Amino acid sequence: MANEIWTIKRCLEWTKEYLAERGEEHPRLSAEWLLCAATGLARIDLYMRMDETLDAAQLETMHAAVVRRAKGEPLQYITGSTQFRMIDVACAPGVLIPRPETEMLVEEVLNYLDTEVLSPEAAARQRVELPWNDEVEEARKAEAALADERATAERRAANLTAADEAALGGDVLGSRAYAEELADREAEEAAAQAAEAEAAEAAESELDEYGVAIEGADQETALAQDTAAPAPAEPCTARVLEVGCGTGCISLSLAWERRGHVTCTATDIESRAIDLATKNRDTLGLTADEVAFSLTNLVSSIPREEWGTFDVLVSNPPYIPTDVMRSLPHEVKDFEPDLALEGGADGLDIFRRLLNAAPYMLRTGGLFACELYEGTLDAAAELCRQAGLSDVRIVHDLTDRPRIVRAIVTEPKQRQ
């Protein structure tokens, strides 16, 4: 293979046919992914550079990748990465591969944080008596005086008697019309002058929050009052606890998409997962203050002083029932870690432990959200109700299968 001339086009077509013969469900897509990993090109670039020749190193990498894929190994392990929502995450054997369903779990958490934690209603501001309010009052009085002058002119025109009209004949109507026209013209000119003066002042002045011009000493007074006014509340920062972080995709997405507003503490019992998640965090440029990873069993490493301080407890725990494990696809059952998949006889072993921990970890009103096996959601929701959680909901995935249970902790607990 290395001694022949292999263009991108030839390699793509050969790989597609080879994988299709071995039962690959999407052979062309798999061939594209493998070629992208071997060449470092984006998929669109493959089609722009079809006639380019692969070098020896690229051919060797491609050959090894095709052999692994033909044996059923997941593409994400072979290519070493996958896309999750807005980020790319590294993948490696021994750590669960992120799934599209888990992207919906992140969406549920973000929706909760946006509505319940990160967007509190702004405090209502009341208008206070300001020094330039007197100027507003003077302007109002001037407008009233102008209106009185116009009314007087109209009354004068209207007060001509019938005898006056008879003596003056047709000139009376003209005199009255003239008086009314004069009054209207004077009023319009006065209004225009007032508008021009106001516009000129506004162009040279700072405006207060009500659109009133501030000049000279009034500007200093306003600045002093603004300085003395209560400072706006500091932006809220949400605290999220994730259990069973794997690649870190959940916590990293939350911190990345709401950077500066969300901090995460994430745990996993598998050291390879913690190492990989830390690598993904560093690649994204996030800090340990933004996402902290801890090697521990569930919530064992959470300091006692942090209990009851989290806004969210989120998890994609092992949830496949034992009997279902035997029927999983070959590339899942034989390549992904059982530790991250099997959830006991009914798939809820780890879920029950998380549900027990939630009232101790979360503040009042905190969200508990878990991704689970589609056949166990009703049982999980009932367990949440029995535990005293409120607003228990089941969320369906994009294929309309029940996938996520979410509930609110209304009565936090404190362990003695």
Side-chain angles (χ1 to χ4, degrees):
M1 188 174 182
N3 294 327
E4 301 180 47
I5 296 177
W6 285 84
T7 62
I8 289 177
K9 180 179 181 180
R10 182 185 179 191
C11 191
L12 178 62
E13 294 300 325
W14 184 91
T15 304
K16 180 191 72 171
E17 294 176 6
Y18 181 83
L19 294 178
E21 291 173 357
R22 282 150 183 79
E24 173 68 48
E25 186 176 1
H26 303 288
R28 188 174 191 88
L29 182 61
S30 295
E32 290 172 349
W33 278 31
L34 296 176
L35 259 175
C36 288
T39 61
L41 297 175
R43 286 175 64 195
I44 185 64
D45 292 331
L46 293 179
Y47 291 91
M48 299 295 290
R49 301 163 72 168
M50 280 289 195
D51 293 331
E52 288 192 13
T53 303
L54 300 179
D55 61 31
Q58 291 170 334
L59 279 173
E60 184 178 350
T61 299
M62 189 65 183
H63 178 264
V66 171
V67 170
R68 291 170 65 183
R69 182 59 188 157
K71 293 179 179 179
E73 186 172 353
L75 279 167
Q76 295 88 339
Y77 286 161
I78 301 171
T79 63
S81 68
T82 192
Q83 188 173 17
F84 185 85
R85 290 181 65 88
M86 297 174 64
I87 63 176
D88 288 327
V89 293
C91 299
V95 182
L96 189 69
I97 298 168
R99 301 302 203 273
E101 295 84 359
T102 309
E103 295 185 359
M104 292 191 62
L105 180 60
V106 172
E107 189 71 18
E108 285 296 317
V109 173
L110 287 175
N111 289 339
Y112 167 81
L113 292 178
D114 288 344
T115 57
E116 302 297 333
V117 182
L118 300 180
S119 300
E121 293 183 0
R125 295 184 61 186
Q126 296 182 354
R127 181 171 183 175
V128 297
E129 201 60 35
L130 301 173
W132 52 86
N133 284 352
D134 291 339
E135 295 180 10
V136 177
E137 182 63 19
E138 289 300 321
R140 189 195 65 77
K141 289 179 179 179
E143 292 174 359
L146 182 61
D148 289 339
E149 290 176 5
R150 178 179 177 179
T152 300
E154 291 175 346
R155 284 195 299 271
R156 286 174 181 170
N159 281 340
L160 291 172
T161 65
D164 292 331
E165 289 182 7
L168 296 175
D171 289 339
V172 172
L173 294 178
S175 298
R176 182 180 298 170
Y178 174 76
E180 291 175 348
E181 180 182 347
L182 179 62
D184 289 341
R185 188 182 305 162
E186 290 175 346
E188 290 173 0
E189 290 176 354
Q193 291 175 357
E196 289 176 1
E198 183 178 352
E201 291 176 358
E204 298 175 357
S205 307
E206 180 183 350
L207 298 181
D208 74 353
E209 61 182 332
Y210 304 104
V212 180
I214 310 172
E215 287 188 286
D218 288 338
Q219 292 187 20
E220 297 178 3
T221 305
L223 180 60
Q225 289 201 349
D226 286 343
T227 303
E234 290 293 325
C236 292
T237 299
R239 302 193 73 231
V240 175
L241 173 61
E242 180 192 0
V243 178
C245 64
T247 62
C249 59
I250 294 177
S251 288
L252 294 175
S253 290
L254 293 172
W256 180 260
E257 295 184 38
R258 297 296 183 274
R259 191 159 193 182
H261 300 284
V262 173
T263 62
C264 301
T265 297
T267 71
D268 204 292
I269 198 172
E270 170 59 63
S271 60
R272 287 176 292 181
I274 295 297
D275 291 342
L276 187 61
T278 302
K279 173 185 175 182
N280 285 325
R281 180 190 67 194
D282 295 344
T283 300
L284 288 170
L286 294 168
T287 67
D289 289 334
E290 293 173 294
V291 183
F293 293 111
S294 176
L295 179 64
T296 191
N297 184 17
L298 300 181
V299 298
S300 299
S301 66
I302 306 303
R304 185 63 63 96
E305 59 269 20
E306 294 186 23
W307 289 18
T309 66
F310 293 99
D311 298 290
V312 175
L313 195 165
V314 61
S315 182
N316 175 20
Y319 60 64
I320 305 298
T322 302
D323 288 344
V324 178
M325 287 287 295
R326 290 190 286 270
S327 61
L328 291 177
H330 165 59
E331 68 178 72
V332 176
K333 178 176 58 178
D334 295 334
F335 290 95
E336 296 199 64
D338 287 353
L339 184 64
L341 293 170
E342 186 171 356
D346 64 355
L348 296 176
D349 282 2
I350 302 300
F351 173 79
R352 289 186 178 88
R353 298 173 65 183
L354 293 172
L355 178 59
N356 182 63
Y360 296 97
M361 297 294 114
L362 295 172
R363 60 164 178 81
T364 302
L367 174 70
F368 174 57
C370 280
E371 177 183 333
L372 296 170
Y373 180 67
E374 60 190 76
T376 64
L377 268 297
D378 288 335
E382 182 58 30
L383 288 172
C384 287
R385 296 185 189 98
Q386 293 176 5
L389 276 64
S390 65
D391 193 19
V392 180
R393 305 181 204 172
I394 294 174
V395 180
H396 289 234
D397 62 21
L398 296 176
T399 62
D400 203 30
R401 293 184 175 91
R403 183 60 60 192
I404 297 166
V405 64
R406 50 162 292 169
I408 299 299
V409 169
T410 53
E411 297 182 6
K413 298 179 181 178
Q414 294 184 353
R415 195 164 285 160
Q416 302 298 325

